[in-house]
Amino acid sequence: MPFDRRIRLRSAALLLVPLLLSACGLSDDESGGAIDTVKIAAKTEVPAGTKLVVAEQNGTQSLPWNLANAGQGTPYEVDFADFSGGAAVIEALRSGAADVGSIGEAPVPIAVDSGVTDLVTIGLQANPGTSGGYYLVARPDSGVRTIEDLRGKRVAYPPGSGRHMVTAGLLKRHGLDLRTDVQPVELAGAEVVPTFAAGAVDAAIVLGNQYYQLGEPPILGDGKGINTGIQTLIVRRDVLDDPAKVAAIGDYLGRAVAANNWKDTHADQWVDQYYVKVQGITFEQGKKLYEEDGIASYYPIDEQSTALFQTVADGLHETGTIKGRVDVSPFVDGRYNDIVTAQNELDGVTPKSLKS
């Protein structure tokens, strides 16, 4: 099956700065400079005229970037382009329309399984042990009260996505196979909610804001224990052959970490701007979602975070979402780890342990 159809689908920190000089051209004199709201642990020397296009979904990169003023004084131009779904982000990268893409946990393994090998993950967030804002819900009039009741029922999900993985995983926990024991209804992400609301399916996997917009239908299960909370920044592999882009991407990643950390110290502002104004739910609803899951922290791409990412690929295979087993290790690159660590230390952020 073609890929596009399958997925449619922060003192101590400053001590680290000299370590970054050779790899990314960081200026020691500029490191730790204040830019309004956030501080950047290290800035990068980028050739004049360099531009980055960042492909995102629902403003998840540009909104914190702008709210935290993380982009002030960037030595390059940054444009954000919004796309619907991980597949569209990946195609933007592969076509050269974007330099950096922000996607969730599932698209990279799925793409690799489909023969796409020119992508590499250079930034990784995770939030394991949370629901991820994924909820498997049933229509109140469907007669479905438990996941076991879904046998033979119509279940909607967007194929090739984190929601696909969570749906399959929840069913498997309860002795059901998404492919054979229910009627799977594959829909574009934007079509899941209206289809559920219209009564055309018995159950659907929805996001937190959608759950509230639907009037809080019965929840059969959520992403806890399946969701990793992984969000990735990916690039096309050959972009890393361009020294100017490499420098700009390193600087961008450090600022993205700072913007992400800003959210956790400005929770009410983040809830208002993201959950209320972007996602269209009340402040109280947004605050509840925020307090349940918190923020996915950036991690160095090391053995532990790669192992967590591997569990995603393994889960996709075990649930039949992908046909083959995918080794994610060739598709991650930790060249910017010192930048991530320096920024987290500057901001006083200690990501939760990934050890199982």
Side-chain angles (χ1 to χ4, degrees), residues 63-105:
L63 184 59
W65 177 274
N66 292 325
L67 289 172
N69 294 312
Q72 184 169 313
T74 52
Y76 49 91
E77 182 182 347
V78 182
D79 287 343
F80 295 93
D82 205 271
F83 292 86
S84 179
V89 170
I90 287 174
E91 290 306 316
L93 291 177
R94 301 191 71 211
S95 70
D99 303 295
V100 180
S102 175
I103 60 175
E105 57 194 349

Side-chain angles (χ1 to χ4, degrees), residues 33-121:
I35 55 167
D36 280 6
T37 309
V38 298
K39 286 187 175 183
I40 304 302
K43 296 183 183 179
T44 306
E45 294 176 357
V46 181
T50 303
K51 176 180 177 179
L52 288 182
V53 177
V54 179
E56 62 174 345
Q57 303 172 68
N58 301 315
T60 52
Q61 287 287 306
S62 60
L63 184 59
W65 177 274
N66 292 325
L67 289 172
N69 294 312
Q72 184 169 313
T74 52
Y76 49 91
E77 182 182 347
V78 182
D79 287 343
F80 295 93
D82 205 271
F83 292 86
S84 179
V89 170
I90 287 174
E91 290 306 316
L93 291 177
R94 301 191 71 211
S95 70
D99 303 295
V100 180
S102 175
I103 60 175
E105 57 194 349
V108 167
I110 293 172
V112 173
D113 185 58
S114 298
V116 177
T117 60
D118 57 348
L119 302 173
V120 62
T121 299

Side-chain angles (χ1 to χ4, degrees), residues 14-262:
L14 298 182
L15 297 176
L16 292 172
V17 171
L19 300 176
L20 308 176
L21 290 170
S22 61
C24 301
L26 302 179
S27 170
D28 187 80
D29 292 335
E30 293 181 308
S31 61
I35 55 167
D36 280 6
T37 309
V38 298
K39 286 187 175 183
I40 304 302
K43 296 183 183 179
T44 306
E45 294 176 357
V46 181
T50 303
K51 176 180 177 179
L52 288 182
V53 177
V54 179
E56 62 174 345
Q57 303 172 68
N58 301 315
T60 52
Q61 287 287 306
S62 60
L63 184 59
W65 177 274
N66 292 325
L67 289 172
N69 294 312
Q72 184 169 313
T74 52
Y76 49 91
E77 182 182 347
V78 182
D79 287 343
F80 295 93
D82 205 271
F83 292 86
S84 179
V89 170
I90 287 174
E91 290 306 316
L93 291 177
R94 301 191 71 211
S95 70
D99 303 295
V100 180
S102 175
I103 60 175
E105 57 194 349
V108 167
I110 293 172
V112 173
D113 185 58
S114 298
V116 177
T117 60
D118 57 348
L119 302 173
V120 62
T121 299
I122 52 86
L124 186 148
Q125 295 171 261
N127 195 14
T130 67
S131 72
Y134 297 128
Y135 301 95
L136 181 61
V137 299
R139 285 190 55 82
D141 58 359
S142 66
V144 173
R145 298 293 178 264
T146 67
I147 290 178
E148 289 85 350
D149 293 338
L150 288 174
R151 186 178 297 275
K153 300 291 188 177
R154 297 159 298 175
V155 181
Y157 60 93
S161 66
R163 284 194 273 173
H164 184 174
M165 182 181 71
V166 170
T167 303
L170 281 170
L171 290 172
K172 184 179 180 182
R173 282 182 176 179
H174 293 266
L176 300 177
D177 189 312
L178 176 60
R179 297 162 293 181
T180 60
D181 294 323
V182 303
Q183 298 181 51
V185 180
E186 297 189 348
L187 299 169
E191 297 173 1
V192 172
V193 167
T195 301
F196 178 86
V201 295
D202 303 292
I205 189 81
V206 301
L207 303 177
N209 64 308
Q210 297 170 338
Y211 165 71
Y212 286 114
Q213 290 163 351
L214 286 166
E216 304 181 45
I219 295 175
L220 304 176
D222 61 30
K224 292 185 181 73
I226 302 171
N227 164 69
T228 63
I230 286 179
Q231 297 288 320
T232 61
L233 289 179
I234 63 172
V235 299
R236 201 175 65 250
R237 196 178 298 275
D238 63 1
V239 170
L240 298 177
D241 295 329
D242 182 336
K245 295 284 190 182
V246 168
I249 291 168
D251 185 89
Y252 176 84
L253 177 56
R255 292 169 183 268
V257 176
N260 187 68
N261 293 341
W262 174 93

